[in-house]
Amino acid sequence: MMRINHDYDRGGALAYLAAYDVHRAHVFGRCSPKTGIVPFMDLAEQIMTQEPYASAKRVFWIVDNGSSHRGKTAADRLTERFPNAVMVHTPVHAS
């Protein structure tokens, strides 16, 4: 008998960010090495720069209270970059 050690090297998990268009039944998604403001805004950029979202009067973003899109600062950041985007937060206890 002999003893063997196994070294487990965790490579890190990718974050999958997704958005769902309820009118067209279409999922947009992207993988990112981590979550945060930049990956969330990259997803918004991916969606809001294409039609019909770019020219829509309003595009509602219903989001949970994740740290990358929580509060008024996040809503202001999204609206500053995309004036037709409206961020709506779910209730805190619903996330």
Side-chain angles (χ1 to χ4, degrees), residues 8-62:
Y8 175 73
D9 184 24
R10 183 176 168 96
L14 290 176
Y16 182 71
L17 292 94
Y20 181 65
D21 181 334
V22 297
H23 293 290
R24 296 169 61 205
H26 182 76
V27 175
F28 298 90
R30 64 186 301 124
C31 287
S32 176
K34 60 182 182 172
T35 61
I37 294 168
V38 173
F40 176 76
M41 292 303 291
D42 288 345
L43 177 65
E45 181 86 25
Q46 173 186 336
I47 296 164
M48 296 298 292
T49 56
Q50 61 181 297
E51 293 299 335
Y53 317 102
S55 63
K57 183 177 177 183
R58 290 182 299 181
V59 178
F60 290 96
W61 284 74
I62 301 170

